[in-house]
Amino acid sequence: RREVVTRRTVFNLRKARERGHVLEGLAVALANIDEFIRIIRESPTPPVARSELMARPWDSQLVREMLTRTRADGGIINADDYRPEGLERAFGMGGDGLYRLSETQAQEILQMRLQRLTGLEQDKIVAEYKEVMGEIDDLLDILSNPERVSTIIGDELTVVKQEFGQTKLGARRSEIEHNAQDLATEDLITPTDMVVTLSHSGYIKSQPLSEYRAQKRGGRGKQATATKEDDWIDQLFIANTHDYILCFSNRGRLYWLKVWEVPAGSRGSRGRPIVNMFPLQEGEKINVVLPLTGEMRSFPSDRYVFMATSMGTVKKTTLDEFSNPRKAGIIAVDLDEGDFLIGAALTDGQH
C-alpha cells in the first residue's frame, strides 16, 4: 500500500510540474503583454513568432518571487523542484533573474485566447499558478516524509472501512441467493421468429422473419436462398429461436437441434451442410426435419411421429418419447439390412 501511495504521488507531482511550467509561461506573458502582442503582430508566421518569444529573456516579478521565496521554516526554496522532468537548463529562471521560455510555453502563449487578457482572467491564471506551486510543495513533502505516507494510508483505509465494512454505511445492500440458477447460452437468446430453409442437398440456414415483407401487386418477390443448378429448397418453415427441430437420418436415428443453433445466413448464402452439425456415421445423412412449433413445443403425449421406410415398414411413436434430447442422438426406428428411412411426419393419431 505504501508503494501505491508513493507511485501515485510521483505521478501527481509530474503532472503538477508540467501544469506549473505552462502557467509560469502565461504569467511571464501577462507581465510583458504589450511586448508579446507587438512581436506576435510583426511576425509573418506562428513559427517565427514562437522563435522570437524564445530568443530573448523576460522579466516577471511574480515568477521571480515564487521561485525565490522563503519557506515557512526559514529555508529558501529550490527552483529546480518545480521544473518538469527533462527540461533543458537553458529554459526557465536564470541566474540573472530573467526568464527564458521553452517551446511548450511559447506555443501555449500563441494559442491563448484574447479573453484571457481581461483583468479577471489574469487573476485566475495567477491564482492557479500559486495553487499549483503549493500543490508541488505538498507532494514533495509527502515523498520526503514517511510519516505522512503512513497517515495517508490510514486515512484511506478508514474511508474503505466506513464504505465497505460492517457498519451502517457500509452494510451489504445486495442479497445473496445460494440457490440461484446457472445461466445457459439459450437463456441469453432473444425469442425471435426465424425462417429456416433446408435444401435438397442438405444445406440449412436461418433468417429473421423481419427480412421478409408483403409484396404489392406486381412485386418481383425476394430470393430466400442461393442454390446450385442441381439443388433446390426442400423444406421451408417458420419457427421460434427456442423451438426444437427433430432431425431424422436415413439410418433411422433422431437428432435434436434448436432453431437458434441453426447457422444464420443472408438471402444470398447457401447455408451450412446439416451433416456437419451432428456426429453422423459414414454414409448417414439427414433426410427429414420436423419443426416443433406451437402446441408441439411441449412434446405432448397425444401427438405422434409417423415414420416410413423404403421397404414399407411404418412406425408410430408418441412425441413425448422424444422429449429427452441427447447430443449423440437415439435410434428412432430399427431398420433391416438394406432398408432406410424415407419419411417422417407429425400427426394427431386420428388419420
Side-chain angles (χ1 to χ4, degrees):
R1 189 64 192 176
R2 183 177 295 274
E3 181 181 357
V4 170
V5 174
T6 301
R7 290 167 64 91
R8 184 181 63 203
T9 303
V10 171
F11 175 81
N12 292 336
L13 178 60
R14 183 174 69 253
K15 292 298 182 181
R17 283 171 170 170
E18 293 174 355
R19 182 56 184 169
H21 181 65
V22 172
L23 293 172
E24 278 182 3
L26 296 180
V28 171
L30 293 177
N32 303 271
I33 190 62
D34 294 334
E35 186 65 15
F36 271 65
I37 293 176
R38 184 190 65 78
I39 292 176
I40 294 173
R41 290 184 62 183
E42 293 178 356
S43 299
T45 62
V48 173
R50 183 173 60 245
S51 300
E52 289 292 331
L53 295 178
M54 296 173 58
R56 54 181 294 184
W58 301 93
D59 183 32
S60 174
Q61 183 179 357
L62 171 63
V63 174
R64 185 168 55 253
E65 290 177 353
M66 293 297 296
L67 295 178
T68 58
R69 69 186 187 278
T70 304
R71 297 184 185 275
D73 57 4
I76 304 298
I77 68 168
N78 184 5
D80 292 339
D81 291 341
Y82 305 92
R83 295 175 61 88
E85 296 181 5
L87 181 65
E88 298 181 12
R89 303 297 304 179
F91 304 116
M93 183 67 68
D96 54 0
L98 299 180
Y99 198 95
R100 288 166 177 79
L101 299 173
S102 67
E103 183 175 357
T104 300
Q105 291 173 319
Q107 187 64 34
E108 287 290 333
I109 292 172
L110 292 176
Q111 294 177 352
M112 182 173 60
R113 291 187 175 185
L114 292 177
Q115 67 179 20
R116 306 206 69 179
L117 300 180
T118 62
L120 181 60
E121 289 295 324
Q122 292 185 37
D123 293 341
K124 288 183 179 180
I125 293 175
V126 173
E128 184 182 359
Y129 176 54
K130 293 181 178 179
E131 180 181 350
V132 172
M133 297 292 279
E135 180 184 358
I136 294 175
D137 290 337
D138 183 62
L139 295 172
L140 290 172
D141 183 66
I142 293 175
L143 294 176
S144 63
N145 191 349
E147 295 182 357
R148 285 205 61 187
V149 177
S150 300
T151 302
I152 293 173
I153 293 175
D155 294 340
E156 291 180 351
L157 291 179
T158 300
V159 173
V160 172
K161 181 179 179 180
Q162 292 177 350
E163 186 174 356
F164 301 103
Q166 296 303 317
T167 63
K168 184 176 181 180
L169 177 62
R172 179 178 293 278
R173 299 173 178 84
S174 59
E175 182 179 351
I176 298 178
E177 296 183 1
H178 297 285
N179 61 344
Q181 297 180 351
D182 293 333
L183 287 176
T185 303
E186 185 175 358
D187 297 326
L188 305 177
I189 303 297
T190 303
T192 308
D193 288 335
M194 307 291 289
V195 177
V196 181
T197 57
L198 177 66
S199 71
H200 180 70
S201 59
Y203 284 85
I204 190 171
K205 70 173 182 178
S206 65
Q207 302 167 249
L209 181 60
S210 58
E211 291 189 6
Y212 296 85
R213 58 181 175 83
Q215 296 282 322
K216 295 182 179 180
R217 185 176 181 179
R220 299 179 59 186
K222 287 187 176 181
Q223 180 181 358
T225 186
T227 57
K228 292 185 177 180
E229 292 184 2
D230 57 346
D231 196 10
W232 61 88
I233 299 298
D234 204 18
Q235 287 187 255
L236 185 149
F237 54 86
I238 299 174
N240 191 274
T241 47
H242 290 268
D243 289 341
Y244 272 107
I245 302 176
L246 302 183
C247 303
F248 294 87
S249 74
N250 60 340
R251 297 282 182 87
R253 295 186 65 85
L254 166 65
Y255 302 91
W256 287 264
L257 184 67
K258 278 296 188 76
V259 174
W260 64 266
E261 295 176 312
V262 177
S266 63
R267 294 197 306 271
S269 64
R270 297 180 62 192
R272 178 183 175 187
I274 194 171
V275 295
N276 294 340
M277 306 182 69
F278 305 108
L280 302 181
Q281 301 175 5
E282 184 178 356
E284 185 180 9
K285 65 178 182 178
I286 302 297
N287 55 0
V288 180
V289 295
L290 299 177
L292 300 183
T293 61
E295 60 182 9
M296 299 291 187
R297 294 172 179 167
S298 58
F299 296 89
S301 59
D302 59 346
R303 293 293 187 271
Y304 303 87
V305 177
F306 183 81
M307 294 165 281
T309 71
S310 62
M311 292 185 178
T313 302
V314 295
K315 178 183 180 182
K316 184 179 70 173
T317 305
T318 56
L319 189 57
D320 62 345
E321 292 191 22
F322 299 144
S323 61
N324 186 22
R326 299 180 185 177
K327 286 189 175 182
I330 63 172
I331 298 176
V333 57
D334 286 321
L335 300 175
D336 296 330
E337 185 176 354
D339 198 7
F340 57 91
L341 184 70
I342 60 173
L346 296 171
T347 176
D348 58 6
Q350 303 299 319
H351 299 84

